[in-house]
């Protein structure tokens, strides 16, 4: 019998967290799933722990790579074995809350125009101490605007329709290693609507061995290529160094004062083109960005004529957004 969901986990040397992570899937209130786990050549106790879990639950399909082939290869191997209508991701060190699949499966069933759904998450440290509960854009247009610049979906929270990747020959790409999730989510979003459920459905474990920490430079390099392509599709062509600065601005990682005027002008141009392409009159994420842009320009800078003109243009656009929202 074909399962409704195919759950995918790739794992490499995660003996400290793998049991808790896998059990959070096995304990889901929604039971109709297969669980494909690819052990990517682990050299610690991970393999032995997985064998014990397999003996307890027949829904687990364990694939063991004899050597470490990498996450992208392992993800595509799992995709090739999957049979479910929906694909759900689970990272080897995170915890899915018990009703995650039930809520996400129901959402996709009730919203056939949506191709992918994620959720808010709870960020915890390696000892499960609470760190934060970040808010992600929930609606389609808000999420897609944010996706222009960064991955606004938590990868271990996503579930997407398998038919979309099959019909459009979508796979995880080696060219975007460590940013493969951003890449595939961006591509899937071009074939339908996307959504983040407001309820946190995953506990994300932040620790020194996280991929985003260990491989930040490679991840950021791949993300810059993705953003350049996203902006080019809107007709905005930006060099890699400027994309790097803009991503820092958007992510609150710092302001390069030397290029502030040029960088804000590019973001403003992207906003206007995104509006025009999607026939928008309001977008909460755009409103938030416009408000931040006014602050970035600074009180001292706007005394300069060119800064003042840009400030007034952004302010006009922002007020128009607010006006349409209220009506």
């Amino acid at each position: 019998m074909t399962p409704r969901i195919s759950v995918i986990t790739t794992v490499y040397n995660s003996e400290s967290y793998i049991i808790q992570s896998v059990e959070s899937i096995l304990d889901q209130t929604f039971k109709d799933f297969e669980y494909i786990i690819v052990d990517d050549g682990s050299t610690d106790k991970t393999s032995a722990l997985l064998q014990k879990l397999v003996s307890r639950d027949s829904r687990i399909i364990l694939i063991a790579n004899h050597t470490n082939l990498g996450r992208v290869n392992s993800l595509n191997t799992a995709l090739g074995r999957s049979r479910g209508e929906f694909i759900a991701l689970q990272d080897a060190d995170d915890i899915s809350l018990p009703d995650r699949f039930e809520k996400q499966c129901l959402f996709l069933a009730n919203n056939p125009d949506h191709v992918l759904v994620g959720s808010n998450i709870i960020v915890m440290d390696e000892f499960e101490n609470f760190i934060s509960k970040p808010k992600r854009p929930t609606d389609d247009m808000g999420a897609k605007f944010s996706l222009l610049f960064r991955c606004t979906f938590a990868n271990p929270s996503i579930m997407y329709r398998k038919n979309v990747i099959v019909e459009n020959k979508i796979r995880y790409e080696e060219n975007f290693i460590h940013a493969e999730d951003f890449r595939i989510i961006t591509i899937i979003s071009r074939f339908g609507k996307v959504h983040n459920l407001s309820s946190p459905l995953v506990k994300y474990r932040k620790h020194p061995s996280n991929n985003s920490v260990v491989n930040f430079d490679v991840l950021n390099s791949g993300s810059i290529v993705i953003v350049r392509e996203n902006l080019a599709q809107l007709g905005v062509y930006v060099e890699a160094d400027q994309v790097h600065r803009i991503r820092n601005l958007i992510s609150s990682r710092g302001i390069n004062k030397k290029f502030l005027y040029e960088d804000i002008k590019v973001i403003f141009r992207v906003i206007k083109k995104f509006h025009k392409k999607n026939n928008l009159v309001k977008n909460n994420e755009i409103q938030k960005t416009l408000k931040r842009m006014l602050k970035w320009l600074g009180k001292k800078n706007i005394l300069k004529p060119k800064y003042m003109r840009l400030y007034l243009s952004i302010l006009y656009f922002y007020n128009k957004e607010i006006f349409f929202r209220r009506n």
Side-chain angles (χ1 to χ4, degrees):
M1 187 174 178
T2 303
R4 192 75 185 278
I5 302 172
S6 292
V7 189
I8 292 175
T9 293
T10 66
V11 55
Y12 176 70
N13 288 354
S14 295
E15 62 181 9
S16 299
Y17 312 119
I18 190 62
I19 290 181
Q20 188 179 25
S21 180
V22 171
E23 287 182 342
S24 77
I25 297 298
L26 302 180
D27 292 340
Q28 290 289 304
T29 56
F30 186 93
K31 304 296 184 182
D32 185 15
F33 62 83
E34 63 179 1
Y35 192 4
I36 304 169
I37 303 176
V38 181
D39 179 11
D40 192 20
S42 293
T43 57
D44 63 359
K45 297 178 182 177
T46 297
S47 300
L49 295 173
L50 286 173
Q51 288 294 344
K52 291 180 180 179
L53 289 165
V54 168
S55 67
R56 289 170 40 192
D57 199 307
S58 61
R59 291 174 296 181
I60 298 177
I61 301 168
L62 180 59
I63 302 172
N65 295 338
H66 296 300
T67 59
N68 182 254
L69 301 179
R71 179 170 166 81
V72 170
N73 184 290
S74 297
L75 285 167
N76 285 330
T77 296
L79 278 181
R81 288 286 298 271
S82 64
R83 298 177 297 142
E85 178 183 358
F86 306 133
I87 304 293
L89 272 292
Q90 168 79 3
D91 284 350
D93 47 3
D94 298 328
I95 299 169
S96 286
L97 299 184
D99 57 352
R100 175 192 164 191
F101 290 171
E102 185 176 349
K103 288 182 176 179
Q104 291 185 316
C105 193
L106 181 63
F107 178 87
L108 290 175
N110 290 339
N111 296 275
D113 56 344
H114 281 68
V115 292
L116 181 146
V117 62
S119 76
N120 279 321
I121 61 172
I122 298 168
V123 181
M124 60 183 181
D125 67 15
E126 56 191 310
F127 306 109
E128 293 186 52
N129 297 310
F130 175 84
I131 296 177
S132 65
K133 194 185 291 186
K135 297 293 183 183
R136 298 172 183 272
T138 55
D139 64 286
D140 175 56
M141 281 293 107
K144 283 180 176 172
F145 174 73
S146 295
L147 272 174
L148 291 174
F149 302 103
R150 57 182 177 174
C151 191
T152 192
F153 287 85
N155 187 57
S157 80
I158 65 169
M159 180 183 290
Y160 53 83
R161 297 183 188 276
K162 185 182 178 183
N163 71 298
V164 173
I165 66 168
V166 171
E167 293 168 8
N168 298 287
K169 297 182 171 62
I170 301 169
R171 284 294 183 270
Y172 291 92
E173 299 177 43
E174 288 284 359
N175 290 345
F176 298 94
I177 189 169
H178 305 307
E180 71 284 335
D181 54 341
F182 185 12
R183 175 66 169 177
I184 200 169
I185 290 167
T186 300
I187 293 176
I188 290 172
S189 73
R190 297 171 185 167
F191 295 96
K193 293 184 177 181
V194 294
H195 185 82
N196 270 313
L197 296 175
S198 58
S199 301
L201 298 179
V202 171
K203 290 183 177 180
Y204 172 81
R205 198 186 302 268
K206 189 173 184 179
H207 56 84
S209 298
N210 280 133
N211 175 59
S212 57
V213 175
V214 175
N215 299 296
F216 176 78
D217 289 341
V218 179
L219 184 155
N220 195 41
S221 178
S223 297
I224 287 171
V225 175
I226 295 166
V227 173
R228 288 189 73 194
E229 182 180 305
N230 292 344
L231 300 187
Q233 289 199 336
L234 281 177
V236 180
Y237 301 93
V238 187
E239 294 301 323
D241 57 347
Q242 188 167 26
V243 170
H244 177 69
R245 295 195 306 269
I246 288 172
R247 276 172 50 81
N248 283 344
L249 266 175
I250 295 288
S251 302
S252 300
R253 287 199 294 261
I255 295 175
N256 189 321
K257 294 181 180 179
K258 181 179 178 181
F259 298 100
L260 181 62
Y261 176 79
E262 289 79 5
D263 294 343
I264 290 179
K265 273 191 72 174
V266 167
I267 298 173
F268 193 34
R269 185 148 42 103
V270 170
I271 287 173
K272 290 189 286 186
K273 283 185 173 288
F274 186 85
H275 248 274
K276 184 176 181 180
K277 178 182 177 181
N278 296 288
N279 299 313
L280 295 177
V281 294
K282 64 177 181 179
N283 184 308
N284 289 338
E285 293 306 306
I286 286 179
Q287 288 176 22
K288 292 176 187 176
T289 304
L290 288 167
K291 191 173 182 179
R292 293 175 70 199
M293 288 161 65
L294 293 171
K295 291 182 179 179
W296 292 337
L297 284 169
K299 293 180 180 179
K300 292 182 180 179
N301 280 331
I302 61 173
L303 297 176
K304 305 171 186 176
K306 70 174 185 177
Y307 279 86
M308 176 60 79
R309 287 193 295 271
L310 181 57
Y311 183 91
L312 291 175
S313 296
I314 295 171
L315 184 62
Y316 171 77
F317 207 92
Y318 174 73
N319 285 331
K320 189 169 68 170
E321 278 271 301
I322 296 297
F323 173 78
F324 278 117
R325 186 183 182 197
R326 289 177 177 172
N327 290 279

